[in-house]
Amino acid sequence: MSSDALDTFLSPCPPARRVPAFAPLRVGAGRYRLRPVLRRRRRTASGALALTAAVLAVAGGGQAAQASRGASPPAAGPAPAAVRMVAAPVRIADAATVRLLRPGDRVDVVAAERAGPPRLVAAGARVARVPAPAEEAGAGGEGGALVVLSVPRETARELVGAAATARLAVALC
């Protein structure tokens, strides 16, 4: 045996081999992995919100479709947290009282009927607009003055009904 072969045989190091190709290692790789994880979380959260909105729209759309076909609405549950406000134009019998009002004021609307005692129609209604007398001159009303109140939809219906049968008055809150 030659001395080279003997040195290789007795050497503590293994024989040299070819190193396979591999992707480079990044030191501190956590920094690079955090952004995609956060992006996935945002996508997941936005997808969940979109899915929830779609489910709510479909569920609410069914009730609206039944109401448009004349079907009776489902039994009334607890009142919703947000009440939709509408603008209701109301003719008040005393025009001088309406001139005292400004947008943003709160008023109680009282209906005075000939046959019975006065009744409260709207409590704490917000005055949205008080048209100038020149703006309402062409309205052809039976006296009094017009005021636009911001009230919930149900209260607006009661105001319209009361205005048809009684004279309306306001009291500042």
Side-chain angles (χ1 to χ4, degrees), residues 110-128:
V110 179
E113 298 174 351
R114 295 179 196 262
R119 66 182 173 96
L120 183 66
V121 180
R126 187 179 61 83
V127 176

Side-chain angles (χ1 to χ4, degrees), residues 81-95:
V83 177
R84 179 164 164 78
M85 304 297 275
V86 296
V90 178
R91 184 159 299 278
I92 305 300
D94 186 10

Side-chain angles (χ1 to χ4, degrees), residues 56-166:
L56 290 175
V58 169
Q63 292 174 355
Q66 285 179 351
S68 67
R69 282 186 242 130
S72 62
V83 177
R84 179 164 164 78
M85 304 297 275
V86 296
V90 178
R91 184 159 299 278
I92 305 300
D94 186 10
T97 305
V98 173
R99 285 196 298 266
L100 297 173
L101 301 177
R102 299 286 175 259
D105 288 347
R106 295 281 180 174
V107 296
D108 290 343
V109 181
V110 179
E113 298 174 351
R114 295 179 196 262
R119 66 182 173 96
L120 183 66
V121 180
R126 187 179 61 83
V127 176
R129 185 166 179 243
V130 181
E135 289 182 43
E136 63 178 78
E142 308 114 10
L146 190 67
V147 62
V148 180
L149 302 175
S150 178
V151 294
R153 188 176 298 273
E154 291 300 318
T155 306
R157 288 185 189 128
E158 291 178 26
L159 281 169
V160 170
T165 60

Side-chain angles (χ1 to χ4, degrees), residues 51 61 152 164:
L51 180 63

Side-chain angles (χ1 to χ4, degrees), residues 25-96:
L25 298 175
R26 297 181 189 253
V27 178
R31 179 177 82 199
Y32 295 104
R33 284 190 231 142
L34 185 60
R35 284 187 188 135
V37 169
L38 291 177
R39 235 181 266 127
R40 275 192 299 260
R41 279 190 185 166
R42 280 189 222 130
R43 283 187 204 134
T44 303
S46 63
L49 285 174
L51 180 63
T52 303
V55 167
L56 290 175
V58 169
Q63 292 174 355
Q66 285 179 351
S68 67
R69 282 186 242 130
S72 62
V83 177
R84 179 164 164 78
M85 304 297 275
V86 296
V90 178
R91 184 159 299 278
I92 305 300
D94 186 10

